[in-house]
Amino acid sequence: MGALVQPVIAILLGLVIGAIAIAIVGGDIAQTYTEMWKGAFGSFYFFTNTLSRATPIILIGLGTTLAFRAGFFNLGAEGQMILGGLCAAITALYLPGPGWVKMIAAIISGIVAGGIWSAFAGWMDAKFRMNLLITTLLLNYIASLFAGYLVSYPLKDNTGSAAMAQTEMIEHSAWLPKLFHGMSLHAGFLLAVIGAVVLYLFMKFTVSGYEVRMLGSNPLFAAYGGVQRGKLMLFSMIASGGFAGLAGAVEVLGTQYRYLDGSLSTPGYAWSGIMATLLAGSHPLGTAAAALLLAALQTGGMGVERNTEVPLEIASVIQATLILFVSAKISYSFIKRKKAGAQDGSIA
């Protein structure tokens, strides 16, 4: 229950700070938050837009949750998402067969691509003791630049006049189906919900899930109990990257219908997913709830800019408050463990 309550408390704190910022710029606090609510949940159309934006954030958050619960810092979700989306687009474009086969194969290829890219960082840690925090972060740039090169030159769509760095359009039969006619919400949201439930059940009721939690909370005890750190780390990193790759795949197949350079990194899905994980204390269901709240904040902020004089950046102020909340929470946990004499360095 605490993991579900914490994101709500953080959002409320952010709204209080946001109200102060709105007052400073001369805006009407009630009107601004009313427009923010309308922009996120004011109609069925806006509600489905919020769920659509929450989809990749949930999936990335779930992957980060798994890695964090195992005690490993995977900050490479952005690169894993980019490669997952790129591989999904390539598979859907060039694999022969009916549309549904292309769609399923594209989703699988996205998961595999993200998992392999994440596993590469895990392998470097296991083989050369290279810090995961650094390698996963730097691999984001390699993935982004590599994908940008491919869609700017060998895979670039030269059929139109836009001259944008993008692949050709995926055929309609390989698109993820929309859940409601005329709305942006697609079947990827169902995959995200199923993923949250499955990950919760895995962490709660399976032996492997218990080992993951044990390794993250007390590595010394886990080693004494026979848990193999290297093997479990590779599993956690592959699964974590697989979730991020799936996020990229569903965005390409359900929203973009092609890989467009910058379309997966510019919205900040990866960092929103990491924030959702930290807000929820790496709880799968709490992460999904936090991701929905963050998505609502972002879509609601767009509504504020459309209908009031308050700038869109007010949403950034609220998100910055959330980051401070997370930082304070982690710092408090670290100080508490240090006083208790803990030496395991876990973040749970």
Side-chain angles (χ1 to χ4, degrees):
M1 180 60 69
L4 298 176
V5 172
Q6 287 174 13
V8 176
I9 295 176
I11 291 291
L12 292 176
L13 178 62
L15 293 176
V16 171
I17 302 300
I20 297 174
I22 293 169
I24 291 175
V25 300
D28 185 291
I29 297 174
Q31 180 191 9
T32 300
Y33 282 150
T34 299
E35 293 299 333
M36 183 174 288
W37 173 266
K38 289 180 179 178
F41 304 111
S43 69
F44 188 67
Y45 173 79
F46 289 131
F47 178 59
T48 55
N49 281 348
T50 299
L51 294 181
S52 180
R53 188 174 184 87
T55 297
I57 300 177
I58 293 173
L59 288 170
I60 289 174
L62 293 177
T64 308
T65 290
L66 181 58
F68 282 13
R69 288 300 292 268
F72 305 113
F73 287 88
N74 179 11
L75 299 184
E78 183 173 288
Q80 295 148 19
M81 182 184 189
I82 287 172
L83 290 185
L86 177 65
C87 289
I90 293 173
T91 302
L93 282 170
Y94 300 110
L95 181 72
W100 66 271
V101 172
K102 292 183 177 184
M103 181 181 65
I104 294 175
I107 291 174
I108 294 174
S109 69
I111 295 173
V112 171
I116 290 176
W117 197 242
S118 180
F120 180 53
W123 176 78
M124 287 191 290
D125 177 276
K127 186 71 173 179
F128 304 108
R129 306 301 297 174
M130 297 179 68
N131 191 291
L132 276 175
L133 186 67
I134 297 174
T135 55
T136 53
L137 188 61
L138 294 181
L139 284 173
N140 288 333
Y141 297 97
I142 298 175
S144 179
L145 294 173
F146 175 68
Y149 164 77
L150 289 181
V151 297
S152 297
Y153 296 100
L155 298 179
K156 185 178 180 180
D157 179 16
N158 294 312
T159 59
S161 59
M164 299 181 69
Q166 61 187 17
T167 64
E168 295 180 0
M169 180 76 75
I170 298 170
E171 66 178 71
H172 189 277
S173 60
W175 295 4
L176 280 172
K178 298 296 185 183
L179 297 184
F180 304 99
H181 180 69
M183 305 295 177
S184 61
L185 187 63
H186 52 77
F189 177 72
L190 298 180
L191 295 178
V193 172
I194 293 171
V197 174
V198 170
L199 183 59
Y200 170 75
L201 295 176
F202 168 79
M203 298 291 292
K204 184 78 172 177
F205 298 108
T206 68
V207 174
S208 296
Y210 173 72
E211 291 179 346
V212 166
R213 291 186 285 114
M214 184 196 305
L215 182 63
S217 60
N218 196 327
L220 295 178
F221 181 74
Y224 179 79
V227 176
Q228 299 181 20
R229 179 186 182 275
K231 183 183 295 186
L232 198 58
M233 179 193 63
L234 286 176
F235 163 76
S236 300
M237 292 299 290
I238 290 172
S240 177
F243 273 111
L246 176 59
V250 299
E251 274 299 287
V252 166
L253 298 174
T255 302
Q256 306 292 339
Y257 311 124
R258 66 172 82 218
Y259 180 84
L260 174 63
D261 189 31
S263 64
L264 299 181
S265 55
T266 302
Y269 295 131
W271 302 109
S272 294
I274 293 173
M275 189 189 304
T277 299
L278 295 175
L279 281 173
S282 300
H283 187 287
L285 300 182
T287 295
L292 180 59
L293 290 173
L294 290 174
L297 183 62
Q298 294 165 12
T299 55
M302 299 174 190
V304 168
E305 187 174 51
R306 285 194 303 266
N307 302 309
T308 71
E309 297 299 321
V310 177
L312 175 64
E313 283 70 23
I314 195 65
S316 299
V317 171
I318 298 175
Q319 290 190 71
T321 304
L322 301 183
I323 294 174
L324 289 176
F325 178 87
V326 169
S327 300
K329 176 185 171 185
I330 294 175
S331 299
Y332 173 76
S333 299
F334 176 78
I335 294 172
K336 186 177 180 180
R337 286 198 308 270
K338 189 175 181 180
K339 287 182 178 180
Q343 302 295 326
D344 57 88
S346 67
I347 61 173

